[in-house]
Amino acid sequence: QARAYMDRYGITEEQCALVSVKNHGNAFKNPVAQLPLELTVEQVMSSPYIADPIKLLDCCPVSDAASAVILASAGGAGKMSGKPVWVKGVAYCSDAYHLGDRDLSSARALQEAARKAYAMAGIGDPAREVDLVEVYDAFTYMELMWLEGLGLCEPGRGGELTGSGATAMDGRLPVNASGGCLSGNPVLVAGLNRIIECVLQIRGDAGARQVDGVKTAVAHGINGPCGQSHCVWVLGGE
C-alpha cells in the first residue's frame, strides 16, 4: 500500500520520515508513550529497510496496554463528570477484504466514514473547523494517506501539509500530539486511545502536550489489511 500510494502521488520517503520525526518528538511530552525519540529525517532515512519503502523508523513498536472510556446519555454525563466531552459525529465504513479487490492507493472507506461523521457533526469544511486530529499511524505513510482520506487536505498533498509544519503541535492543525501509534501501538485499543487523547485535549487535561484552543477534535482508527475498515469520531466540548 505504501508503494502504491507513494507512486500514485509522488510522495517521497523523506516526507514520510517527517512524520516519524514529529510523532516521536511529540512523545516526549506524553508520560505513557513507549518510544519517545529525538530524530532527524536523515536518521529515519538511514534506518534499515523492513520492506521497501518502509524502514525501521517508519514502523510502530509492539506495545501492550489497556484502555477504557465511559459513554453516557446527556443527563448521565453531567452527573459523572464536570468536563463531559460530546460525541458530535461517528461513522464506520468497510471496503473489500481481498487486497486485489480494491485500489490500495485510495482510502475509499475512510472517505465515506469521514463524510458521514462530518455530516452528523454539522462540519462542512473539516480543514478549517477541526482543531486537532489523532489518526492511526502504524506506519508513517499512513498518517499522510489518512489525512487526505479525512478531507483535511487534497489527495496527494499529505506530505506537503506535514512538510509545511501545519501538523506540528504548534501548527494550525496538530496531528498526533500524543506521539501516535508510532510511539506506542497496543493494537486492539489503538483506536480507542485516539479517542482518549482527543478527550484529554478538549478537556484541557493533556498536560505538557496540551494544544491551545481545542474545541473540536477528530479521532480515527482502522482494522483489516491496509485499512480495509475505518472509524471516525468527531468530538467536541460543547
Side-chain angles (χ1 to χ4, degrees), residues 102-113:
R102 53 189 162 101
D103 180 358
L104 294 182
S105 70
S106 174
R108 184 174 62 173
L110 175 54
Q111 292 165 7
E112 183 64 12

Side-chain angles (χ1 to χ4, degrees), residues 21-107:
V21 172
K22 172 178 70 71
N23 291 358
H24 285 298
N26 288 349
F28 280 104
K29 297 184 178 182
N30 184 351
V32 299
Q34 178 185 354
L35 204 60
L37 296 171
E38 186 175 343
L39 297 174
T40 64
V41 169
E42 291 72 23
Q43 286 174 315
V44 178
M45 292 294 294
S46 64
S47 64
Y49 277 95
I50 302 302
D52 181 87
I54 295 172
K55 298 168 288 299
L56 178 63
L57 290 173
D58 289 309
C59 303
C60 64
V62 177
S63 311
D64 285 324
S67 302
V69 299
I70 297 174
L71 291 173
S73 65
K79 297 176 183 178
M80 288 188 287
S81 172
K83 297 181 181 179
V85 170
W86 305 98
V87 180
K88 299 290 190 175
V90 60
Y92 170 88
C93 188
S94 182
D95 207 333
Y97 174 79
H98 294 289
L99 300 182
D101 291 342
R102 53 189 162 101
D103 180 358
L104 294 182
S105 70
S106 174

